[in-house]
Amino acid sequence: MLEFITLDGVMQAPGGPEEDTSGGFEFGGWSAPYADEDSGKLMQKQMAAADLLLGRKTFEIFSNYWPEHADFWPGIMDVNKYVLSNAIKETDPIVTRWKNSNVVHSLADIQKLKNSNGSDIKVWGSSELVQLLLKNDLVDELKLKIYPLTLGKGKKIFTDGAIPAAFTLTESAVTSTGVIFADFKRAGEVKTGTMEV
């Protein structure tokens, strides 16, 4: 999973004011003021070609944007794109206009994709899908971009549904504007102990 989040875990609409205003969210575009050369280079690395799994809303945003801006994200048109939805059909224009797009309908479909021999699968945004994956132990890596602000409301990456899980920090960097890029890999079960002086 690759997510833009605030210090209080909000992941809603980092890219622009109209991206996702559901629930009366008024802070769309909160990540833009923190863009700099450092984050641009780090983002290019995270945008390496890999198959995508997206929730319906994120898929609609991506499929309307990236076909017209594919030069900024090399390979985005060639990778397999999967959208989890029971409302979208394979024949819908939103699916057919974006090359290599497919519809998956269930958690079982996602598990089959995860266990296949294909490319890595990256999830961008997709707050409801993220909750489903975290709840069902289907997240191997977290690539978080943590922004130095709090919003107090909005869709969050972690809610009460996530299973207890340990992760190991594998890579990190801090940009000139204070954004922390932190990559974590799944590292088994949660261990507990007692702090001693």
Side-chain angles (χ1 to χ4, degrees), residues 59 81-92 94-95 100-106 109 113:
F59 181 84
K81 279 82 69 177
Y82 300 95
V83 55
L84 177 65
S85 176
N86 287 317
I88 297 175
K89 296 179 180 66
E90 293 279 351
T91 55
D92 287 350
I94 197 158
V95 176
N100 299 328
S101 292
N102 307 277
V103 181
V104 294
H105 301 285
S106 67
D109 290 341
L113 282 176

Side-chain angles (χ1 to χ4, degrees), residues 41-168:
K41 288 177 183 174
L42 292 164
M43 282 301 300
Q44 285 301 316
K45 183 177 176 184
Q46 291 196 351
M47 293 167 78
D51 290 349
L52 301 177
L53 173 62
L54 306 169
R56 182 194 52 80
K57 188 172 281 190
T58 303
F59 181 84
E60 288 175 356
I61 292 167
F62 275 35
S63 68
N64 284 319
Y65 182 83
W66 287 112
E68 306 300 322
H69 301 87
D71 55 329
F72 182 73
W73 191 343
I76 188 64
M77 295 304 290
D78 299 320
V79 300
N80 292 310
K81 279 82 69 177
Y82 300 95
V83 55
L84 177 65
S85 176
N86 287 317
I88 297 175
K89 296 179 180 66
E90 293 279 351
T91 55
D92 287 350
I94 197 158
V95 176
T96 58
R97 76 178 293 261
W98 200 17
K99 183 179 160 188
N100 299 328
S101 292
N102 307 277
V103 181
V104 294
H105 301 285
S106 67
L107 186 62
D109 290 341
I110 294 172
Q111 288 171 323
K112 283 180 195 171
L113 282 176
K114 185 177 187 300
N115 294 329
S116 70
N117 291 326
S119 161
D120 285 345
I121 300 171
K122 294 181 178 178
V123 176
W124 290 82
S126 307
S127 61
E128 290 180 28
L129 174 60
V130 164
Q131 304 310 319
L132 179 69
L133 299 177
L134 288 168
K135 181 178 181 180
N136 288 280
D137 198 15
L138 290 171
V139 176
D140 295 328
E141 291 183 80
L142 294 167
K143 292 182 179 287
L144 304 179
K145 292 156 284 296
I146 306 163
Y147 285 73
L149 75 159
T150 58
L151 296 178
K153 64 178 181 175
K155 296 175 183 175
K156 294 194 174 186
I157 185 169
F158 299 109
T159 61
D160 289 340
I163 64 160
F167 288 83
T168 298

